[in-house]
Amino acid sequence: MRRKNGEEYKECVVKTLWNVVAKEVQEMYDYKYNIKFNPFSDSTFNEARRARDAKRKTLQSSLKKRRSSSTVLSGDEIRKMVTAWNEDTPAGLQKKFYQISAYELAWRGGEAANCLLHYFKIEKNNKGEETGRIEYNSVFSKTTQGGAKPLANSKWLIANKDDLNICPVRLFKKLSSKRTTNITTERFFLSPNPQWQNHNSPWYKNCPVGKNEIGKWTKLATEKIGLDVCNINITNHSNRATAVSHLAKSGLDEQQIIKITGHASTSSLAPYLEIDTEHHEQIIKKMRLQEKESNTVVSATNELQAKASSNSTYNYNKCTFIFNSDSSK
């Protein structure tokens, strides 16, 4: 099983090709000849399955052929990627908003390409005042925004009052304001107007950005801040992987994390929760701190016992202990 040029497929492609062909053969025999069998479990196909697994195992030993998870980025790297774009240009504004939103909303790799304008709702309180939050839910529709309960958990973009430069709410409003009357498509990310020259010119065309183009944005941002993209696997899914990793490190349990990320179950988080160097270092520091605190308590206990044998006053942890060795008092 090779490409036309003789090159080996990637391991995940071999798995997919085998499974698809097996399923097609299964359906063909069932439909044409009314013969039922299961190529995924029947003993007749044991040899074929062993050949598939052996091939996958061989390919997994190759760095270029095995499937690798999207690289998790640091918080500092995410911030640099956001601020790398010039929001005073059509392309820069979209990429800046995308970068912070893809991270904070834990978007899947292709989610931005399918994002629609009405997925976002500016939240207001009972007085009609804006709360500073924007609700995001991909099941919103024009007919259900005001009534029916969403079918999935909503996520929110929260105003960043500490740093307006990377505030997703401000960037959303700025980007939305650039949608002139000529834009009728509901797709959120639009192709920049090639004739744009200044703020008075239309910023965008009535045409969505292509999926392949959006798929490059995260990698472009990492290149822009100087990361070595040749030796790390940077994709748009890196934003989601980074979000899950950072949420886990912050102390949230898995049930809370899937409420934010939208995963179907906690088992889906397993590929994201590998302990990296930074996380491992934090764990070791906590272990050492606990050991140090334990030794401090033991030392204090021994000192208290020694003080108790004589008349003395002892201060520990903002408490004063008065010892009197005279048992008659």
Side-chain angles (χ1 to χ4, degrees), residues 24-134:
E24 290 287 340
V25 172
Q26 181 185 27
E27 291 177 355
M28 182 188 71
Y29 271 80
D30 185 20
Y31 177 72
K32 284 188 173 183
Y33 310 112
N34 198 28
I35 298 175
K36 300 184 183 298
F37 62 87
N38 188 346
F40 300 96
S41 60
D42 288 356
S43 58
T44 307
F45 295 89
N46 281 343
E47 187 175 345
R49 288 195 297 269
R50 282 196 294 268
R52 175 201 62 185
D53 294 341
K55 186 66 175 179
R56 289 180 60 199
K57 188 174 182 180
T58 301
L59 293 172
Q60 285 171 350
S61 64
S62 170
L63 181 62
K64 293 183 178 180
K65 297 300 179 182
R66 68 170 175 249
R67 184 175 183 175
S68 57
S69 301
S70 296
T71 298
V72 173
L73 302 162
S74 69
D76 184 55
E77 287 168 341
I78 289 290
R79 178 184 170 76
K80 288 179 180 178
M81 290 163 65
V82 174
T83 56
W85 301 110
N86 179 8
E87 66 178 76
D88 292 325
T89 65
L93 177 58
Q94 286 201 129
K95 289 172 182 172
K96 187 171 185 176
F97 175 74
Y98 160 79
Q99 198 58 63
I100 188 66
S101 300
Y103 169 64
E104 295 193 356
L105 296 176
W107 271 348
R108 294 173 175 84
E111 195 163 348
N114 300 312
C115 181
L116 302 180
L117 177 63
H118 65 258
Y119 288 178
F120 299 92
K121 286 172 55 180
I122 296 177
E123 187 182 63
K124 296 182 179 180
N125 59 23
N126 293 335
K127 295 181 180 180
E129 301 167 335
E130 294 184 9
T131 63
R133 306 199 313 172
I134 295 177

Side-chain angles (χ1 to χ4, degrees), residues 220-315:
L220 285 173
T222 54
E223 289 177 339
K224 200 172 179 68
I225 66 171
L227 297 187
D228 183 7
V229 297
C230 294
N231 294 316
I232 54 177
N233 185 27
I234 296 294
T235 67
N236 280 10
H237 203 75
S238 293
N239 298 298
R240 184 170 176 82
T242 300
V244 174
S245 178
H246 290 186
L247 288 169
K249 290 177 185 178
S250 71
L252 289 182
D253 63 40
E254 293 182 357
Q255 287 293 340
Q256 292 173 310
I257 292 174
I258 64 173
K259 291 288 185 181
I260 297 172
T261 62
H263 283 96
S265 66
T266 55
S267 61
S268 303
L269 297 179
Y272 300 97
L273 300 181
E274 296 178 359
I275 297 179
D276 57 23
T277 304
E278 180 187 355
H279 196 191
H280 185 258
E281 185 176 341
Q282 291 175 359
I283 292 172
I284 295 299
K285 285 181 178 179
K286 286 183 179 180
M287 291 170 60
R288 290 172 179 171
L289 181 61
Q290 288 179 344
E291 183 180 350
K292 183 178 179 181
E293 289 176 348
S294 176
N295 291 336
T296 301
V297 170
V298 171
S299 299
T301 302
N302 292 337
E303 192 168 348
L304 281 171
Q305 291 174 345
K307 293 286 185 180
S309 62
S310 60
N311 295 330
S312 60
T313 301
Y314 179 66
N315 293 310

Side-chain angles (χ1 to χ4, degrees), residues 73-203:
L73 302 162
S74 69
D76 184 55
E77 287 168 341
I78 289 290
R79 178 184 170 76
K80 288 179 180 178
M81 290 163 65
V82 174
T83 56
W85 301 110
N86 179 8
E87 66 178 76
D88 292 325
T89 65
L93 177 58
Q94 286 201 129
K95 289 172 182 172
K96 187 171 185 176
F97 175 74
Y98 160 79
Q99 198 58 63
I100 188 66
S101 300
Y103 169 64
E104 295 193 356
L105 296 176
W107 271 348
R108 294 173 175 84
E111 195 163 348
N114 300 312
C115 181
L116 302 180
L117 177 63
H118 65 258
Y119 288 178
F120 299 92
K121 286 172 55 180
I122 296 177
E123 187 182 63
K124 296 182 179 180
N125 59 23
N126 293 335
K127 295 181 180 180
E129 301 167 335
E130 294 184 9
T131 63
R133 306 199 313 172
I134 295 177
E135 186 176 7
Y136 173 83
N137 196 312
S138 59
V139 298
F140 282 153
S141 72
K142 293 180 179 178
T143 57
T144 63
Q145 286 189 65
K149 184 179 180 181
L151 300 176
N153 291 316
S154 292
K155 306 175 187 180
W156 280 268
L157 293 174
I158 311 297
N160 188 338
K161 298 179 181 179
D162 297 326
D163 191 346
L164 289 178
N165 182 38
I166 59 173
C167 175
V169 174
R170 180 188 66 81
L171 291 169
F172 170 81
K173 290 181 178 179
K174 182 174 181 177
L175 185 53
S176 299
S177 71
K178 304 303 180 183
R179 298 176 71 94
T180 50
T181 54
N182 69 302
I183 296 173
T184 58
T185 178
E186 270 287 298
R187 291 279 288 275
F188 189 75
F189 293 104
L190 304 171
S191 297
N193 175 17
Q195 306 301 323
W196 177 86
Q197 294 179 345
N198 53 53
H199 291 275
N200 297 322
S201 305
W203 280 48

